[in-house]
Amino acid sequence: MILLDIILSDGKKAEEISAFLIEKKYAMQTHIDTNTILTTDGQKKTIRLFFITKALLYSTIEHEVKKNFYLEGMIIYASPISHINIEFAEMLRTNIKAI
């Protein structure tokens, strides 16, 4: 399992991506946060859409999101999940797209 993050600047687009991911069974649920990024150029507001999914789906999800929803400056990355409660993990295995 991985925690997949999509960073973008458009909240409406994040909602559209979220609906797509759930419909395609790439995710059971998603989270959308508004964040502030601090850089040498100042501050910038961003949207972080994140969810847990199967690691083997990363490349497919990245390709589909870029193909259907690409925005300039979009960042997609994932982090491995080393521990997850048994019940939630089983629900994910059962309900997320088979590989």
Side-chain angles (χ1 to χ4, degrees):
M1 298 287 175
I2 56 173
L3 180 66
L4 198 146
D5 289 87
I6 302 172
I7 311 297
L8 60 158
S9 59
D10 184 335
K12 184 78 170 153
K13 188 69 75 174
E15 291 177 16
E16 291 172 17
I17 294 169
S18 179
F20 173 81
L21 294 168
I22 293 167
E23 176 188 327
K24 293 290 189 176
K25 296 191 177 259
Y26 294 140
M28 284 184 50
Q29 62 186 11
T30 66
H31 305 269
I32 299 175
D33 289 342
T34 302
N35 297 285
T36 302
I37 293 179
L38 304 173
T39 69
T40 55
D41 296 328
Q43 296 183 5
K44 176 170 87 169
K45 294 288 182 196
T46 61
I47 307 300
R48 176 183 175 229
L49 184 156
F50 61 103
F51 57 97
I52 298 174
T53 192
K54 295 176 180 176
L56 291 174
L57 287 173
Y58 177 87
S59 295
T60 301
I61 293 169
E62 179 185 25
H63 173 76
E64 290 290 316
V65 168
K66 283 181 174 178
K67 180 176 85 172
N68 294 296
F69 304 101
Y70 181 77
L71 289 172
E72 187 69 34
M74 179 184 281
I75 301 169
I76 303 173
Y77 62 92
S79 304
I81 304 252
S82 64
H83 297 79
I84 190 168
N85 67 308
I86 294 168
E87 300 81 9
F88 190 59
E90 186 56 37
M91 195 169 22
L92 290 169
R93 283 188 201 97
T94 302
N95 293 302
I96 291 180
K97 187 179 200 91
I99 302 166

